[in-house]
Amino acid sequence: QVQLVESGGGLVQPGGSLRLACAASGSALRFYLVGWYRQPPGKQRELVASITGDGTTNYADSLQGRFTISRDNAKNTVYLQMNNLSPEDTAVYYCNAKRLLVWDSSSYWGQGTQVTVSS
């Protein structure tokens, strides 16, 4: 059982940056596959980036290298650094932690944090 709380969202101008945080309690995130997802208005939720227990990362091709996912084990927090933001990045951003055990593939979601990119 792990509880996730996202923070760091808000209003930012095009070209600006934000760093989202996914703070976990109850379990260590290094034992999970952790992903950042986003859901723009009227669209399906999509995977933005993920990080494995050993630190391997992957990103959606559409992000074009603008986003970086990282984990701070001491703080039990996964971050999403978002640079050069555009209005197309406006969405609710969610953190997900998934166990990758053959006998336990439980998945946990945070409440989401709103990111709005606008002048």
Side-chain angles (χ1 to χ4, degrees):
Q1 181 80 19
V2 62
Q3 296 79 45
L4 306 174
V5 178
E6 299 98 330
S7 63
L11 177 64
V12 64
Q13 294 184 341
S17 298
L18 284 174
R19 186 175 68 179
L20 306 182
C22 174
S25 60
S27 296
L29 284 179
R30 64 187 176 94
F31 296 132
Y32 296 79
L33 173 68
V34 179
W36 279 101
Y37 295 75
R38 69 183 183 184
Q39 188 165 21
K43 297 184 178 180
Q44 293 288 113
R45 188 173 300 184
E46 64 180 358
L47 177 65
V48 174
S50 66
I51 184 168
T52 68
D54 68 356
T56 301
T57 60
N58 76 286
Y59 301 89
D61 291 338
S62 61
L63 295 179
Q64 300 176 340
R66 297 181 296 113
F67 289 12
T68 303
I69 189 171
S70 62
R71 184 179 65 241
D72 185 335
N73 289 332
K75 296 182 178 180
N76 202 24
T77 299
V78 169
Y79 300 93
L80 183 68
Q81 179 68 46
M82 307 187 296
N83 298 323
N84 194 25
L85 289 164
S86 72
E88 293 182 344
D89 297 315
T90 295
V92 178
Y93 284 72
Y94 298 91
C95 182
N96 174 267
K98 181 178 177 64
R99 299 186 71 88
L100 296 179
L101 302 171
V102 67
W103 51 273
D104 184 5
S105 60
S106 300
S107 183
Y108 305 89
W109 292 93
Q111 84 289 345
T113 184
Q114 176 71 49
V115 172
T116 302
V117 184
S118 175
S119 296

